[in-house]
Amino acid sequence: MNPKRSSPNSRPVIETVTPPAAISGGDFEVRGRHLSIDEDHQPLALFGSVKARLVVGGSKYAVVRVPDDVTESRMVMDNGRSKSEPHTCAVGLTIAENLHPVASPAVDAEGNVFTTRSGTRGEKVPVSIFKIDLNLDLKPVGAEIVNPTGLAFNKQGDLLVSSRNNGTIYMIRPNGQTEIYAEGMGIATGLALDEDGNLFVGDRTGTIFKISPERQIFVFATLEPSIAAYHLVWGPNGFLFVTGPTTSSFDNVYSVSSEGEASVYYRGLGRPQGMAIDDRGRLYVAASHGGRKGIFRLSPNAEISQVVSGPGIVGLAFLPTKEMVVATGSGLYRINSPSWTDE
């Protein structure tokens, strides 16, 4: 008998699947036993009745690409003779399409998700801000804003929006009334609010502005200019985390103290973009690392782990339920399983 051929009765066994979650186009790495019957036959991966593309296939290891529009989270491996027991994966489900987010979505206190149709520089679209309510209905919000980029809620429930077109920060009241909050922010991109209600604005040319609750404007910090956008989020330790892709393929996540002193928190990400903090104070970044694309968690001692696989991710946010909302350049996904929260 061919020693490389599995026993006729060898049923495929899925032992581990990494990373914990993926969206359409993302990859799961599957490790197990008897995934294929021999080296000449690749296994078949199924999500329900939908066949997945196999990037790599072998008896003990396979890379499975999540197909478009998957609604079944259980994966089965078929070696041509028998099928494995289903393995439940955390697969992102589409909650909005035909949009154009360029940064992380924002989530209000009730769990409604807000995102953008940002458009190309200077492009005016009929509706540029959208609300996805708890029933997953997509609704227009506020007045027309050209090139909305960063989104952030203040404690009063007002949505603050940056426009990279004219450097203006807009405020959308809960009733939809839209007004100018501040002007002259350069190429305004990322937004973040601290506990005292100060608003921080990332100007893509290299300045981070601080706007007090009384709307006084200060220069808070200066960093290297970004070729795309700055993304900001406040950490629980009183530091502002900042990303902004440069011409390097080995970019930084910065931490900026409350005094405006910047230091490198993590170095080595490709095109780092939107960030979020979970309820345990851990930092998540949309980026690429080691040839993998998706969302990565960074620990204070510079350890990195991938939690979501997927292409084109520009940002993320957490819902009150701990579920994750993932934004790509064209739409949003919700990942229902909070499996990474227990790690």
Side-chain angles (χ1 to χ4, degrees):
M1 187 177 77
N2 185 344
K4 295 183 180 180
R5 178 181 289 272
S6 300
S7 166
N9 298 321
S10 297
R11 185 179 186 183
V13 175
I14 299 174
E15 295 176 338
T16 63
V17 175
T18 55
I23 63 170
S24 175
D27 294 336
F28 283 120
E29 296 188 25
V30 181
R31 289 175 171 79
R33 305 190 306 274
H34 313 306
L35 302 180
S36 64
I37 56 175
D38 59 48
E39 60 185 13
D40 297 323
H41 295 81
Q42 288 192 325
L44 175 65
L46 297 163
F47 289 87
S49 61
V50 180
K51 295 181 181 179
R53 177 189 168 193
L54 204 68
V55 180
V56 176
S59 176
K60 297 181 180 180
Y61 176 77
V63 177
V64 175
R65 184 152 297 167
V66 178
D68 294 337
D69 301 322
V70 167
T71 58
E72 172 61 64
S73 61
R74 294 187 303 170
M75 179 173 60
V76 169
M77 300 297 293
D78 184 341
N79 67 8
R81 288 184 176 157
S82 58
K83 296 180 179 180
S84 69
E85 290 289 339
H87 184 96
T88 300
C89 302
V91 176
L93 302 178
T94 303
I95 61 172
E97 299 179 285
N98 302 317
L99 298 174
H100 183 209
V102 291
S104 293
V107 179
D108 68 13
E110 296 177 354
N112 300 296
V113 179
F114 292 74
T115 189
T116 66
R117 183 177 285 140
S118 187
T120 58
R121 184 72 185 271
E123 180 184 1
K124 294 183 179 181
V125 297
V127 180
S128 57
I129 307 290
F130 293 88
K131 171 184 176 181
I132 304 165
D133 66 18
L134 302 184
N135 295 318
L136 302 185
D137 292 327
L138 189 68
K139 301 176 180 179
V141 174
E144 179 184 282
I145 297 174
V146 179
N147 297 143
T149 303
L151 304 172
F153 277 101
N154 63 18
K155 292 181 179 180
Q156 291 73 42
D158 305 311
L159 178 63
L160 295 161
V161 183
S162 65
S163 167
R164 69 183 188 279
N165 177 66
N166 55 20
T168 300
I169 309 302
Y170 296 89
M171 183 167 67
I172 303 176
R173 301 286 191 181
N175 63 5
Q177 177 184 341
T178 304
E179 61 187 69
I180 291 176
Y181 187 82
E183 297 179 279
M185 300 294 104
I187 304 176
T189 51
L191 298 179
L193 287 135
D194 67 11
E195 286 296 318
D196 297 323
N198 297 296
L199 177 65
F200 295 79
V201 182
D203 167 14
R204 192 175 76 180
T205 62
T207 301
I208 298 176
F209 294 100
K210 175 181 179 179
I211 306 174
S212 72
E214 296 76 32
R215 306 194 189 184
Q216 295 174 304
I217 301 172
F218 308 90
V219 173
F220 176 66
T222 302
L223 297 174
E224 184 177 358
S226 172
I227 60 173
Y230 277 124
H231 303 265
L232 316 178
V233 67
W234 274 99
N237 55 0
F239 281 81
L240 179 68
F241 292 109
V242 183
T243 64
T246 68
T247 54
S248 170
S249 60
F250 207 67
D251 277 322
N252 300 322
V253 176
Y254 294 96
S255 62
V256 185
S257 71
S258 57
E259 290 77 33
E261 297 178 356
S263 60
V264 174
Y265 182 79
Y266 187 88
R267 178 171 171 77
L269 296 177
R271 202 174 176 83
Q273 299 194 69
M275 297 174 287
I277 304 289
D278 70 10
D279 63 345
R280 292 171 57 179
R282 299 178 295 184
L283 176 65
Y284 296 72
V285 184
S288 62
H289 180 265
R292 295 178 171 88
K293 297 179 180 180
I295 295 172
F296 298 84
R297 185 172 62 212
L298 302 179
S299 69
N301 56 355
E303 293 179 349
I304 187 169
S305 59
Q306 187 176 23
V307 295
V308 180
S309 174
I313 297 175
V314 298
L316 67 145
F318 287 101
L319 297 173
T321 57
K322 297 184 182 182
E323 296 166 311
M324 181 186 285
V325 177
V326 175
T328 69
S330 59
L332 271 68
Y333 297 83
R334 183 178 67 194
I335 299 177
N336 293 325
S337 172
S339 57
W340 52 80
T341 62
D342 299 326
E343 297 176 1

